[in-house]
Amino acid sequence: MLRIAVPNKGSLSEPASQMLREAGYRQRRDGRELVLPDEENDVEFFFLRPRDIAVYVGEGVVDAGITGRDLLLDSGVRAIEHRALNFAGSTFRFAGPPEQVQTLADIDGKRVATSYAHLVGTYLRERGITAHVVRLDGAIESTVRLGVADVVADVVETGGTLRAAGLHVFGEPILRSEAVLIRPDDGEEPKPGLATLDRRLHGVLVARQYVLMDYDCPVDRVEACVAITPGLESPTVSPLHDDKWKAVRAMVPRNQTNPIMDELYELGARAIIVTGIHASRL
């Protein structure tokens, strides 16, 4: 069985389980379940703390796992990102008092509070910055006011919490993180089941990003309409009973659905219908 680690709580937990459900795998109904075998798909799920998942994967205890890119890099273990999963996105930034720090160089010689000590320490060393990294768990916005640190490094969404603490975000992002599928970096070939898992997750990503669009098009406008909806390889164009019209079917990006429909309508296309995609294999 392929052994897969899944976050047991936090912001990664429910989206990861939902994605696996959409990929056709069993998922727990009771939050107290720690191990869930899925014999039909020849996999076994282990529900673990998100921060620990990279360690289990790196040690080869499990064959794959879903965690955050930030947690993977902070772990420092021998595990690698196999596929980005396009949820739980976040940006990791430095912040500090505006009168004291404006650029990355200003961090030199200062104390940096963070929950991601390995990640931040590596980032600073690679850029020739010498700083004392203070590892703390939980909220770190108050560490500057309390005199524990001069600068903080943390996940930034709107920056409102940092501004309320008298801090401003500066410098380039340390990291843009999201949920990722990871596997051991041991030089061995991935287990065969991982390829199936990867294809299924990729199919979910495609299904979420695209819709299927059908429409009728005058024969003399087919080329113009097809240029707007080229599909992934090529659209399907079929004859209709009225030989002055053709039926066209193509996958289009979900977030461009309405502008594409507007353009097609202006070109003379009619009976434009959009259908969601439940699953896919490309």
Side-chain angles (χ1 to χ4, degrees):
M1 277 189 161
L2 188 74
R3 297 156 67 91
I4 306 168
V6 183
N8 66 345
K9 59 183 179 180
S11 61
L12 292 169
S13 178
E14 183 52 38
S17 288
Q18 180 60 35
M19 191 170 201
L20 289 165
R21 287 190 195 96
E22 291 178 33
Y25 295 102
R26 287 186 62 200
Q27 286 297 283
R28 62 181 183 173
R29 296 181 179 179
D30 185 341
R32 292 172 295 181
E33 288 182 276
L34 300 179
V35 181
L36 177 66
D38 182 353
E39 291 90 352
E40 184 177 342
N41 290 297
D42 201 29
V43 300
E44 191 171 19
F45 294 102
F46 296 83
F47 295 89
L48 308 170
R49 291 179 66 244
R51 185 171 282 277
D52 295 339
I53 286 176
V55 177
Y56 281 93
V57 173
E59 293 294 327
V61 177
V62 294
D63 305 304
I66 295 176
T67 189
R69 182 180 292 129
D70 52 352
L71 297 174
L72 167 62
L73 295 177
D74 191 55
S75 70
V77 301
R78 294 182 60 189
I80 58 174
E81 181 176 326
H82 187 79
R83 179 177 294 280
L85 299 177
N86 199 31
F87 68 85
S90 63
T91 304
F92 205 65
R93 305 287 297 269
F94 288 112
E99 67 277 6
Q100 296 180 21
V101 284
Q102 291 288 338
T103 67
L104 187 65
D106 295 334
I107 298 176
D108 200 69
K110 291 184 168 58
R111 299 163 299 166
V112 182
T114 183
S115 300
Y116 298 80
H118 179 80
L119 171 62
V120 172
T122 301
Y123 181 90
L124 292 172
R125 284 193 300 273
E126 289 176 348
R127 287 154 182 79
I129 304 296
T130 302
H132 175 57
V133 178
V134 181
R135 176 164 189 165
L136 296 170
D137 291 324
I140 62 171
E141 297 85 0
S142 60
T143 55
V144 174
R145 182 173 296 174
L146 291 172
V148 176
D150 307 297
V151 178
V152 302
D154 201 7
V155 172
V156 176
E157 294 181 1
T158 65
T161 304
L162 294 170
R163 286 192 296 273
L167 309 177
H168 83 122
V169 174
F170 66 93
E172 294 296 318
I174 303 167
L175 175 72
R176 296 189 189 280
S177 185
E178 64 181 299
V180 293
L181 176 67
I182 66 173
R183 61 179 173 84
D185 184 19
D186 54 9
E188 300 290 331
E189 285 294 317
K191 292 184 71 171
L194 182 62
T196 300
L197 171 66
D198 184 55
R199 280 195 302 271
R200 289 191 180 193
L201 293 178
H202 180 241
V204 173
L205 289 172
V206 172
R208 289 178 174 182
Q209 293 169 7
Y210 288 86
V211 292
L212 197 61
M213 185 173 288
D214 291 272
Y215 58 90
D216 296 342
C217 176
V219 170
D220 61 352
R221 301 292 180 89
V222 169
E223 292 304 319
C225 289
V226 164
I228 298 171
T229 59
L232 297 186
E233 279 83 25
S234 178
T236 300
V237 180
S238 306
L240 293 176
H241 180 71
D242 184 340
D243 60 10
K244 295 179 181 179
W245 290 78
K246 296 283 188 180
V248 182
R249 166 173 283 187
M251 289 173 64
V252 301
R254 182 183 294 272
N255 61 3
Q256 298 177 29
T257 300
N258 283 295
I260 289 173
M261 293 174 73
D262 293 338
E263 289 187 65
L264 291 174
Y265 194 88
E266 289 296 323
L267 284 171
R270 295 295 183 266
I272 307 171
I273 299 173
V274 175
T275 308
I277 301 172
H278 179 67
S280 70
R281 295 291 185 277
L282 302 181

